[in-house]
Amino acid sequence: MPESPEVQALADHLDGRTAGRTVVRLDVPAFQALKTFDPPPSALHGRTVASVTRRGKFLDLDASGLHLVLHLARAGWVRHRDGLPTAPPRPGRGPLALQLLLDDGSGWQVTEQGTTKRLAAHVVRDPAEVPGVARLGPDPLDGSFSRTDLAAVAADRRVRLKGLLTDQSLLAGVGNAYSDEVLHTARLSPYALASSLDEEQLDRLYGTLRSVLGEALERARGLASGDLKAEKKAGLRVHGRAGEPCPVCGDTVRQVVFAESSLQYCPTCQTQGRVLADRRLSRLLK
């Protein structure tokens, strides 16, 4: 799933090619992708795009005060095309979920691969009408995000650090991959409780959170949308690399698999050599 660095780079890429253009038509061949009905997609027609921005993991296209808000989920993506067919796409079983045609003949194609369809599109007057946007916590990529903000999120919260980092109502924009990367770099166990962090550990978590996301954003900036996923994968040190040697200490990267996700970590760097049981609701092995 794209996380804040990729979504920010994608927003910047799309903004540079879309802002100032007029929406000719928004087509939704995958009916299940559209989660709102008022205003209808046709309400965007004839409006000028003011900007494309990011809100957590959401993309927000502002068209003269009306918003198209997209959540790409696990398998969705957006590509800007210099030329699109003028005829509306036909509904079908292909990957095309939405198509946005602009006045110069260019536009967006929003696709979702696979059979599990979770991509969500909302046409709203205010982005806060989207429940996922309304509940977003502070954003670690925001320049105003401070150690004090992180301390307030972690204080007295008996939630594991992996859950703290990935809960969008606590921190916006971080997902499964970068949470693994942050915790590995900060030398913290994914199962440590947020409320148990001492001042030095909180310093490490804050500094690493900012640096890991910031460096990922710098790597992603300027890339074409089709290259962002490959760049993200290439830059990961432990996530998705179970069985490989840790790039820091050489120990084997381990993983814990859950029903719909997994986490990767280094026992030597993060859990004092202890191995996390690979089962749901696992505890540290003694």
Side-chain angles (χ1 to χ4, degrees), residues 173-225:
V174 184
N176 202 30
Y178 288 120
S179 60
D180 284 350
E181 297 298 298
V182 166
L183 292 171
H184 176 257
T185 305
R187 307 187 306 281
L188 293 169
S189 169
Y191 282 175
L193 294 178
S195 59
S196 71
L197 294 180
D198 60 30
E199 293 301 308
E200 189 273 335
Q201 290 171 325
L202 192 60
D203 285 341
R204 290 207 317 261
L205 182 59
Y206 173 73
T208 302
L209 185 57
R210 295 279 289 177
S211 65
V212 167
L213 296 179
E215 290 166 9
L217 177 57
E218 288 306 310
R219 292 195 303 270
R221 272 191 168 133
L223 294 179
S225 59

Side-chain angles (χ1 to χ4, degrees), residues 9-249:
L10 183 58
D12 293 344
H13 173 80
L14 294 171
D15 183 69
R17 290 158 177 76
T18 309
R21 303 253 61 100
T22 300
V23 175
V24 173
R25 194 174 63 245
L26 174 64
D27 297 303
V28 190
F31 301 118
Q32 75 279 357
L34 187 64
K35 306 304 181 185
T36 54
F37 62 90
D38 179 29
S42 60
L44 289 166
H45 301 177
R47 290 175 175 260
T48 299
V49 177
S51 64
V52 181
T53 56
R54 176 184 67 86
R55 298 174 185 271
K57 298 180 188 178
F58 292 82
L59 281 170
D60 176 11
L61 179 146
D62 179 348
S64 303
L66 202 61
H67 296 258
L68 171 63
V69 179
L70 297 175
H71 190 279
L72 299 175
R74 187 181 298 274
W77 201 240
V78 184
R79 285 180 171 81
H80 180 273
R81 305 293 190 187
D82 290 334
L84 287 180
T86 56
R90 298 176 62 182
R93 296 184 179 181
L96 185 64
L98 289 90
Q99 184 165 280
L100 182 76
L101 179 65
L102 302 172
D103 59 338
D104 64 348
S106 71
W108 297 7
Q109 288 189 324
V110 183
T111 57
E112 184 174 24
Q113 302 294 333
T115 57
T116 303
K117 302 300 185 182
R118 295 182 178 176
L119 184 146
H122 309 257
V123 179
V124 292
R125 298 173 181 87
D126 183 339
E129 295 174 34
V130 179
V133 172
R135 71 183 185 94
L136 288 175
D139 193 321
L141 268 182
D142 192 312
S144 66
F145 181 78
S146 68
R147 183 192 183 281
T148 301
D149 294 325
L150 179 61
V153 169
D156 301 322
R157 194 163 259 123
R158 292 185 60 79
V159 61
R160 300 189 190 277
L161 290 182
K162 177 71 175 181
L164 179 88
L165 294 177
T166 56
D167 186 333
Q168 299 302 294
S169 67
L170 300 179
L171 293 170
V174 184
N176 202 30
Y178 288 120
S179 60
D180 284 350
E181 297 298 298
V182 166
L183 292 171
H184 176 257
T185 305
R187 307 187 306 281
L188 293 169
S189 169
Y191 282 175
L193 294 178
S195 59
S196 71
L197 294 180
D198 60 30
E199 293 301 308
E200 189 273 335
Q201 290 171 325
L202 192 60
D203 285 341
R204 290 207 317 261
L205 182 59
Y206 173 73
T208 302
L209 185 57
R210 295 279 289 177
S211 65
V212 167
L213 296 179
E215 290 166 9
L217 177 57
E218 288 306 310
R219 292 195 303 270
R221 272 191 168 133
L223 294 179
S225 59
D227 297 329
L228 286 169
K229 290 184 179 182
E231 171 56 39
K232 175 182 180 179
K233 184 176 181 180
L236 299 175
R237 305 198 305 175
V238 293
H239 183 79
R241 301 193 183 278
E244 299 180 19
C246 168
V248 174
C249 71

